[in-house]
PDB file of all heavy atoms in Angstrom:
ATOM      1  N   LYS A   1    -152.298 -80.379-114.971  1.00  0.00           N
ATOM      2  CA  LYS A   1    -152.643 -78.992-114.678  1.00  0.00           C
ATOM      3  C   LYS A   1    -152.844 -78.248-115.994  1.00  0.00           C
ATOM      4  O   LYS A   1    -152.175 -78.531-116.990  1.00  0.00           O
ATOM      5  CB  LYS A   1    -151.553 -78.310-113.845  1.00  0.00           C
ATOM      6  CG  LYS A   1    -151.281 -78.976-112.512  1.00  0.00           C
ATOM      7  CD  LYS A   1    -152.497 -78.938-111.612  1.00  0.00           C
ATOM      8  CE  LYS A   1    -152.187 -79.554-110.252  1.00  0.00           C
ATOM      9  NZ  LYS A   1    -153.370 -79.553-109.350  1.00  0.00           N
ATOM     10  N   SER A   2    -153.760 -77.294-115.994  1.00  0.00           N
ATOM     11  CA  SER A   2    -154.106 -76.598-117.232  1.00  0.00           C
ATOM     12  C   SER A   2    -153.754 -75.115-117.161  1.00  0.00           C
ATOM     13  O   SER A   2    -153.724 -74.522-116.085  1.00  0.00           O
ATOM     14  CB  SER A   2    -155.598 -76.748-117.535  1.00  0.00           C
ATOM     15  OG  SER A   2    -155.948 -78.088-117.741  1.00  0.00           O
ATOM     16  N   GLN A   3    -153.506 -74.559-118.320  1.00  0.00           N
ATOM     17  CA  GLN A   3    -153.283 -73.122-118.442  1.00  0.00           C
ATOM     18  C   GLN A   3    -153.955 -72.641-119.717  1.00  0.00           C
ATOM     19  O   GLN A   3    -153.877 -73.293-120.763  1.00  0.00           O
ATOM     20  CB  GLN A   3    -151.787 -72.797-118.481  1.00  0.00           C
ATOM     21  CG  GLN A   3    -151.494 -71.303-118.534  1.00  0.00           C
ATOM     22  CD  GLN A   3    -150.013 -70.999-118.332  1.00  0.00           C
ATOM     23  OE1 GLN A   3    -149.227 -71.871-117.978  1.00  0.00           O
ATOM     24  NE2 GLN A   3    -149.644 -69.753-118.549  1.00  0.00           N
ATOM     25  N   ILE A   4    -154.637 -71.503-119.620  1.00  0.00           N
ATOM     26  CA  ILE A   4    -155.312 -70.913-120.777  1.00  0.00           C
ATOM     27  C   ILE A   4    -154.548 -69.672-121.216  1.00  0.00           C
ATOM     28  O   ILE A   4    -154.269 -68.784-120.410  1.00  0.00           O
ATOM     29  CB  ILE A   4    -156.772 -70.568-120.458  1.00  0.00           C
ATOM     30  CG1 ILE A   4    -157.557 -71.848-120.187  1.00  0.00           C
ATOM     31  CG2 ILE A   4    -157.415 -69.803-121.598  1.00  0.00           C
ATOM     32  CD1 ILE A   4    -159.020 -71.624-119.905  1.00  0.00           C
ATOM     33  N   ILE A   5    -154.214 -69.622-122.494  1.00  0.00           N
ATOM     34  CA  ILE A   5    -153.419 -68.530-123.052  1.00  0.00           C
ATOM     35  C   ILE A   5    -154.264 -67.773-124.074  1.00  0.00           C
ATOM     36  O   ILE A   5    -154.776 -68.385-125.028  1.00  0.00           O
ATOM     37  CB  ILE A   5    -152.144 -69.061-123.728  1.00  0.00           C
ATOM     38  CG1 ILE A   5    -151.292 -69.820-122.717  1.00  0.00           C
ATOM     39  CG2 ILE A   5    -151.356 -67.934-124.368  1.00  0.00           C
ATOM     40  CD1 ILE A   5    -150.119 -70.526-123.345  1.00  0.00           C
ATOM     41  N   PRO A   6    -154.441 -66.468-123.932  1.00  0.00           N
ATOM     42  CA  PRO A   6    -155.129 -65.690-124.968  1.00  0.00           C
ATOM     43  C   PRO A   6    -154.272 -65.637-126.238  1.00  0.00           C
ATOM     44  O   PRO A   6    -153.105 -65.256-126.190  1.00  0.00           O
ATOM     45  CB  PRO A   6    -155.261 -64.298-124.341  1.00  0.00           C
ATOM     46  CG  PRO A   6    -154.963 -64.484-122.883  1.00  0.00           C
ATOM     47  CD  PRO A   6    -154.036 -65.638-122.785  1.00  0.00           C
ATOM     48  N   LEU A   7    -154.829 -66.040-127.347  1.00  0.00           N
ATOM     49  CA  LEU A   7    -154.125 -65.962-128.630  1.00  0.00           C
ATOM     50  C   LEU A   7    -154.401 -64.583-129.230  1.00  0.00           C
ATOM     51  O   LEU A   7    -155.197 -64.423-130.156  1.00  0.00           O
ATOM     52  CB  LEU A   7    -154.575 -67.082-129.557  1.00  0.00           C
ATOM     53  CG  LEU A   7    -154.347 -68.505-129.028  1.00  0.00           C
ATOM     54  CD1 LEU A   7    -154.768 -69.536-130.069  1.00  0.00           C
ATOM     55  CD2 LEU A   7    -152.897 -68.712-128.610  1.00  0.00           C
ATOM     56  N   LYS A   8    -153.732 -63.606-128.675  1.00  0.00           N
ATOM     57  CA  LYS A   8    -153.945 -62.204-129.035  1.00  0.00           C
ATOM     58  C   LYS A   8    -152.678 -61.692-129.704  1.00  0.00           C
ATOM     59  O   LYS A   8    -151.638 -61.521-129.061  1.00  0.00           O
ATOM     60  CB  LYS A   8    -154.263 -61.393-127.778  1.00  0.00           C
ATOM     61  CG  LYS A   8    -154.514 -59.919-128.016  1.00  0.00           C
ATOM     62  CD  LYS A   8    -154.727 -59.199-126.684  1.00  0.00           C
ATOM     63  CE  LYS A   8    -154.879 -57.707-126.875  1.00  0.00           C
ATOM     64  NZ  LYS A   8    -154.986 -56.992-125.583  1.00  0.00           N
ATOM     65  N   GLY A   9    -152.742 -61.459-131.016  1.00  0.00           N
ATOM     66  CA  GLY A   9    -151.567 -61.049-131.760  1.00  0.00           C
ATOM     67  C   GLY A   9    -151.605 -59.592-132.179  1.00  0.00           C
ATOM     68  O   GLY A   9    -152.640 -58.923-132.104  1.00  0.00           O
ATOM     69  N   GLU A  10    -150.456 -59.102-132.638  1.00  0.00           N
ATOM     70  CA  GLU A  10    -150.388 -57.742-133.178  1.00  0.00           C
ATOM     71  C   GLU A  10    -151.191 -57.621-134.467  1.00  0.00           C
ATOM     72  O   GLU A  10    -151.614 -56.531-134.841  1.00  0.00           O
ATOM     73  CB  GLU A  10    -148.939 -57.352-133.426  1.00  0.00           C
ATOM     74  CG  GLU A  10    -148.134 -57.094-132.177  1.00  0.00           C
ATOM     75  CD  GLU A  10    -146.738 -56.585-132.466  1.00  0.00           C
ATOM     76  OE1 GLU A  10    -146.137 -56.999-133.471  1.00  0.00           O
ATOM     77  OE2 GLU A  10    -146.240 -55.761-131.686  1.00  0.00           O
ATOM     78  N   GLY A  11    -151.356 -58.730-135.154  1.00  0.00           N
ATOM     79  CA  GLY A  11    -152.161 -58.762-136.374  1.00  0.00           C
ATOM     80  C   GLY A  11    -152.855 -60.103-136.460  1.00  0.00           C
ATOM     81  O   GLY A  11    -152.847 -60.898-135.521  1.00  0.00           O
ATOM     82  N   SER A  12    -153.474 -60.373-137.591  1.00  0.00           N
ATOM     83  CA  SER A  12    -154.154 -61.655-137.769  1.00  0.00           C
ATOM     84  C   SER A  12    -153.123 -62.768-137.952  1.00  0.00           C
ATOM     85  O   SER A  12    -151.987 -62.537-138.371  1.00  0.00           O
ATOM     86  CB  SER A  12    -155.094 -61.582-138.974  1.00  0.00           C
ATOM     87  OG  SER A  12    -154.357 -61.341-140.160  1.00  0.00           O
ATOM     88  N   PHE A  13    -153.529 -64.003-137.659  1.00  0.00           N
ATOM     89  CA  PHE A  13    -152.659 -65.167-137.816  1.00  0.00           C
ATOM     90  C   PHE A  13    -153.530 -66.362-138.147  1.00  0.00           C
ATOM     91  O   PHE A  13    -154.730 -66.384-137.851  1.00  0.00           O
ATOM     92  CB  PHE A  13    -151.844 -65.412-136.546  1.00  0.00           C
ATOM     93  CG  PHE A  13    -152.674 -65.460-135.285  1.00  0.00           C
ATOM     94  CD1 PHE A  13    -153.135 -66.662-134.775  1.00  0.00           C
ATOM     95  CD2 PHE A  13    -153.003 -64.281-134.612  1.00  0.00           C
ATOM     96  CE1 PHE A  13    -153.910 -66.692-133.625  1.00  0.00           C
ATOM     97  CE2 PHE A  13    -153.780 -64.310-133.454  1.00  0.00           C
ATOM     98  CZ  PHE A  13    -154.234 -65.528-132.963  1.00  0.00           C
ATOM     99  N   ASN A  14    -152.943 -67.352-138.793  1.00  0.00           N
ATOM    100  CA  ASN A  14    -153.736 -68.508-139.228  1.00  0.00           C
ATOM    101  C   ASN A  14    -153.200 -69.835-138.719  1.00  0.00           C
ATOM    102  O   ASN A  14    -153.734 -70.891-139.072  1.00  0.00           O
ATOM    103  CB  ASN A  14    -153.847 -68.538-140.758  1.00  0.00           C
ATOM    104  CG  ASN A  14    -152.484 -68.461-141.430  1.00  0.00           C
ATOM    105  OD1 ASN A  14    -151.472 -68.834-140.846  1.00  0.00           O
ATOM    106  ND2 ASN A  14    -152.458 -67.970-142.654  1.00  0.00           N
ATOM    107  N   SER A  15    -152.145 -69.825-137.918  1.00  0.00           N
ATOM    108  CA  SER A  15    -151.631 -71.061-137.341  1.00  0.00           C
ATOM    109  C   SER A  15    -150.888 -70.752-136.046  1.00  0.00           C
ATOM    110  O   SER A  15    -150.493 -69.607-135.794  1.00  0.00           O
ATOM    111  CB  SER A  15    -150.712 -71.797-138.324  1.00  0.00           C
ATOM    112  OG  SER A  15    -149.537 -71.041-138.568  1.00  0.00           O
ATOM    113  N   VAL A  16    -150.718 -71.799-135.253  1.00  0.00           N
ATOM    114  CA  VAL A  16    -150.016 -71.683-133.980  1.00  0.00           C
ATOM    115  C   VAL A  16    -148.959 -72.771-133.909  1.00  0.00           C
ATOM    116  O   VAL A  16    -149.270 -73.959-134.098  1.00  0.00           O
ATOM    117  CB  VAL A  16    -150.989 -71.822-132.783  1.00  0.00           C
ATOM    118  CG1 VAL A  16    -150.231 -71.838-131.465  1.00  0.00           C
ATOM    119  CG2 VAL A  16    -152.012 -70.690-132.793  1.00  0.00           C
ATOM    120  N   ASN A  17    -147.714 -72.388-133.665  1.00  0.00           N
ATOM    121  CA  ASN A  17    -146.661 -73.368-133.426  1.00  0.00           C
ATOM    122  C   ASN A  17    -146.638 -73.706-131.938  1.00  0.00           C
ATOM    123  O   ASN A  17    -146.480 -72.813-131.099  1.00  0.00           O
ATOM    124  CB  ASN A  17    -145.295 -72.818-133.841  1.00  0.00           C
ATOM    125  CG  ASN A  17    -145.087 -72.873-135.340  1.00  0.00           C
ATOM    126  OD1 ASN A  17    -145.777 -73.604-136.045  1.00  0.00           O
ATOM    127  ND2 ASN A  17    -144.142 -72.099-135.846  1.00  0.00           N
ATOM    128  N   PHE A  18    -146.796 -74.980-131.632  1.00  0.00           N
ATOM    129  CA  PHE A  18    -146.755 -75.428-130.242  1.00  0.00           C
ATOM    130  C   PHE A  18    -145.597 -76.397-130.065  1.00  0.00           C
ATOM    131  O   PHE A  18    -145.515 -77.424-130.747  1.00  0.00           O
ATOM    132  CB  PHE A  18    -148.069 -76.107-129.853  1.00  0.00           C
ATOM    133  CG  PHE A  18    -148.082 -76.575-128.424  1.00  0.00           C
ATOM    134  CD1 PHE A  18    -148.291 -75.669-127.396  1.00  0.00           C
ATOM    135  CD2 PHE A  18    -147.847 -77.899-128.100  1.00  0.00           C
ATOM    136  CE1 PHE A  18    -148.276 -76.086-126.070  1.00  0.00           C
ATOM    137  CE2 PHE A  18    -147.837 -78.331-126.783  1.00  0.00           C
ATOM    138  CZ  PHE A  18    -148.052 -77.416-125.764  1.00  0.00           C
ATOM    139  N   SER A  19    -144.668 -76.047-129.160  1.00  0.00           N
ATOM    140  CA  SER A  19    -143.492 -76.877-128.892  1.00  0.00           C
ATOM    141  C   SER A  19    -143.489 -77.273-127.422  1.00  0.00           C
ATOM    142  O   SER A  19    -143.906 -76.490-126.567  1.00  0.00           O
ATOM    143  CB  SER A  19    -142.199 -76.109-129.226  1.00  0.00           C
ATOM    144  OG  SER A  19    -142.240 -75.567-130.530  1.00  0.00           O
ATOM    145  N   TRP A  20    -142.994 -78.485-127.148  1.00  0.00           N
ATOM    146  CA  TRP A  20    -142.911 -78.905-125.750  1.00  0.00           C
ATOM    147  C   TRP A  20    -141.763 -79.882-125.546  1.00  0.00           C
ATOM    148  O   TRP A  20    -141.134 -80.334-126.487  1.00  0.00           O
ATOM    149  CB  TRP A  20    -144.242 -79.489-125.276  1.00  0.00           C
ATOM    150  CG  TRP A  20    -144.564 -80.906-125.640  1.00  0.00           C
ATOM    151  CD1 TRP A  20    -144.422 -82.014-124.861  1.00  0.00           C
ATOM    152  CD2 TRP A  20    -145.138 -81.378-126.874  1.00  0.00           C
ATOM    153  NE1 TRP A  20    -144.860 -83.142-125.519  1.00  0.00           N
ATOM    154  CE2 TRP A  20    -145.312 -82.776-126.751  1.00  0.00           C
ATOM    155  CE3 TRP A  20    -145.518 -80.755-128.066  1.00  0.00           C
ATOM    156  CZ2 TRP A  20    -145.840 -83.550-127.785  1.00  0.00           C
ATOM    157  CZ3 TRP A  20    -146.043 -81.531-129.087  1.00  0.00           C
ATOM    158  CH2 TRP A  20    -146.196 -82.904-128.931  1.00  0.00           C
ATOM    159  N   HIS A  21    -141.463 -80.184-124.312  1.00  0.00           N
ATOM    160  CA  HIS A  21    -140.357 -81.017-123.836  1.00  0.00           C
ATOM    161  C   HIS A  21    -139.021 -80.311-124.136  1.00  0.00           C
ATOM    162  O   HIS A  21    -138.400 -80.512-125.177  1.00  0.00           O
ATOM    163  CB  HIS A  21    -140.362 -82.405-124.463  1.00  0.00           C
ATOM    164  CG  HIS A  21    -139.437 -83.352-123.730  1.00  0.00           C
ATOM    165  ND1 HIS A  21    -139.855 -84.129-122.674  1.00  0.00           N
ATOM    166  CD2 HIS A  21    -138.104 -83.620-123.873  1.00  0.00           C
ATOM    167  CE1 HIS A  21    -138.828 -84.843-122.221  1.00  0.00           C
ATOM    168  NE2 HIS A  21    -137.763 -84.544-122.933  1.00  0.00           N
ATOM    169  N   LEU A  22    -138.594 -79.492-123.174  1.00  0.00           N
ATOM    170  CA  LEU A  22    -137.357 -78.726-123.300  1.00  0.00           C
ATOM    171  C   LEU A  22    -136.167 -79.644-123.019  1.00  0.00           C
ATOM    172  O   LEU A  22    -136.030 -80.212-121.935  1.00  0.00           O
ATOM    173  CB  LEU A  22    -137.367 -77.561-122.313  1.00  0.00           C
ATOM    174  CG  LEU A  22    -136.214 -76.569-122.386  1.00  0.00           C
ATOM    175  CD1 LEU A  22    -136.178 -75.886-123.750  1.00  0.00           C
ATOM    176  CD2 LEU A  22    -136.335 -75.520-121.287  1.00  0.00           C
ATOM    177  N   ASN A  23    -135.283 -79.794-124.005  1.00  0.00           N
ATOM    178  CA  ASN A  23    -134.134 -80.690-123.872  1.00  0.00           C
ATOM    179  C   ASN A  23    -133.164 -80.190-122.810  1.00  0.00           C
ATOM    180  O   ASN A  23    -132.775 -79.017-122.806  1.00  0.00           O
ATOM    181  CB  ASN A  23    -133.388 -80.810-125.206  1.00  0.00           C
ATOM    182  CG  ASN A  23    -134.155 -81.598-126.237  1.00  0.00           C
ATOM    183  OD1 ASN A  23    -134.824 -82.579-125.908  1.00  0.00           O
ATOM    184  ND2 ASN A  23    -134.086 -81.167-127.483  1.00  0.00           N
ATOM    185  N   SER A  24    -132.768 -81.063-121.907  1.00  0.00           N
ATOM    186  CA  SER A  24    -131.759 -80.770-120.889  1.00  0.00           C
ATOM    187  C   SER A  24    -131.102 -82.083-120.490  1.00  0.00           C
ATOM    188  O   SER A  24    -131.642 -83.161-120.739  1.00  0.00           O
ATOM    189  CB  SER A  24    -132.390 -80.080-119.668  1.00  0.00           C
ATOM    190  OG  SER A  24    -133.360 -80.927-119.075  1.00  0.00           O
ATOM    191  N   MET A  25    -129.931 -81.987-119.866  1.00  0.00           N
ATOM    192  CA  MET A  25    -129.215 -83.212-119.503  1.00  0.00           C
ATOM    193  C   MET A  25    -129.922 -83.954-118.376  1.00  0.00           C
ATOM    194  O   MET A  25    -129.849 -85.177-118.281  1.00  0.00           O
ATOM    195  CB  MET A  25    -127.780 -82.880-119.108  1.00  0.00           C
ATOM    196  CG  MET A  25    -126.944 -82.300-120.246  1.00  0.00           C
ATOM    197  SD  MET A  25    -126.945 -83.350-121.736  1.00  0.00           S
ATOM    198  CE  MET A  25    -126.152 -84.837-121.105  1.00  0.00           C
ATOM    199  N   THR A  26    -130.604 -83.226-117.495  1.00  0.00           N
ATOM    200  CA  THR A  26    -131.345 -83.844-116.394  1.00  0.00           C
ATOM    201  C   THR A  26    -132.723 -83.206-116.279  1.00  0.00           C
ATOM    202  O   THR A  26    -132.950 -82.103-116.792  1.00  0.00           O
ATOM    203  CB  THR A  26    -130.598 -83.683-115.049  1.00  0.00           C
ATOM    204  OG1 THR A  26    -130.391 -82.286-114.791  1.00  0.00           O
ATOM    205  CG2 THR A  26    -129.250 -84.402-115.086  1.00  0.00           C
ATOM    206  N   GLN A  27    -133.621 -83.884-115.599  1.00  0.00           N
ATOM    207  CA  GLN A  27    -134.964 -83.347-115.380  1.00  0.00           C
ATOM    208  C   GLN A  27    -134.942 -82.415-114.174  1.00  0.00           C
ATOM    209  O   GLN A  27    -134.770 -82.849-113.045  1.00  0.00           O
ATOM    210  CB  GLN A  27    -135.959 -84.482-115.147  1.00  0.00           C
ATOM    211  CG  GLN A  27    -136.144 -85.393-116.345  1.00  0.00           C
ATOM    212  CD  GLN A  27    -137.194 -86.459-116.113  1.00  0.00           C
ATOM    213  OE1 GLN A  27    -138.151 -86.230-115.385  1.00  0.00           O
ATOM    214  NE2 GLN A  27    -137.025 -87.613-116.733  1.00  0.00           N
ATOM    215  N   THR A  28    -135.082 -81.120-114.429  1.00  0.00           N
ATOM    216  CA  THR A  28    -135.090 -80.106-113.379  1.00  0.00           C
ATOM    217  C   THR A  28    -136.187 -79.100-113.694  1.00  0.00           C
ATOM    218  O   THR A  28    -136.944 -79.262-114.657  1.00  0.00           O
ATOM    219  CB  THR A  28    -133.735 -79.379-113.296  1.00  0.00           C
ATOM    220  OG1 THR A  28    -133.514 -78.646-114.524  1.00  0.00           O
ATOM    221  CG2 THR A  28    -132.579 -80.376-113.103  1.00  0.00           C
ATOM    222  N   ASN A  29    -136.250 -78.033-112.896  1.00  0.00           N
ATOM    223  CA  ASN A  29    -137.197 -76.953-113.179  1.00  0.00           C
ATOM    224  C   ASN A  29    -136.834 -76.200-114.445  1.00  0.00           C
ATOM    225  O   ASN A  29    -137.646 -75.425-114.964  1.00  0.00           O
ATOM    226  CB  ASN A  29    -137.258 -75.988-111.994  1.00  0.00           C
ATOM    227  CG  ASN A  29    -137.922 -76.594-110.785  1.00  0.00           C
ATOM    228  OD1 ASN A  29    -138.768 -77.483-110.903  1.00  0.00           O
ATOM    229  ND2 ASN A  29    -137.547 -76.123-109.596  1.00  0.00           N
ATOM    230  N   ASP A  30    -135.595 -76.399-114.926  1.00  0.00           N
ATOM    231  CA  ASP A  30    -135.136 -75.694-116.121  1.00  0.00           C
ATOM    232  C   ASP A  30    -135.176 -76.560-117.372  1.00  0.00           C
ATOM    233  O   ASP A  30    -134.761 -76.113-118.443  1.00  0.00           O
ATOM    234  CB  ASP A  30    -133.716 -75.168-115.910  1.00  0.00           C
ATOM    235  CG  ASP A  30    -133.634 -74.175-114.762  1.00  0.00           C
ATOM    236  OD1 ASP A  30    -134.564 -73.362-114.629  1.00  0.00           O
ATOM    237  OD2 ASP A  30    -132.656 -74.220-113.994  1.00  0.00           O
ATOM    238  N   GLY A  31    -135.626 -77.790-117.261  1.00  0.00           N
ATOM    239  CA  GLY A  31    -135.660 -78.653-118.433  1.00  0.00           C
ATOM    240  C   GLY A  31    -136.326 -79.980-118.123  1.00  0.00           C
ATOM    241  O   GLY A  31    -136.565 -80.333-116.969  1.00  0.00           O
TER     242      GLY A  31
END
């Protein structure tokens, strides 16, 4: 599934930090 995010900042920016896979003890909706 896809999601499109507007990269709209308060000012200019030159890089984007992208993080994924939220650590949790079990696989749930929260991790």
Side-chain angles (χ1 to χ4, degrees):
K1 301 297 183 181
S2 297
Q3 183 170 350
I4 295 182
I5 301 172
L7 301 183
K8 180 184 176 184
E10 288 185 325
S12 62
F13 51 94
N14 53 25
S15 66
V16 174
N17 282 342
F18 181 78
S19 308
W20 80 99
H21 194 90
L22 186 61
N23 289 323
S24 61
M25 296 306 297
T26 58
Q27 295 183 31
T28 65
N29 290 332
D30 299 321

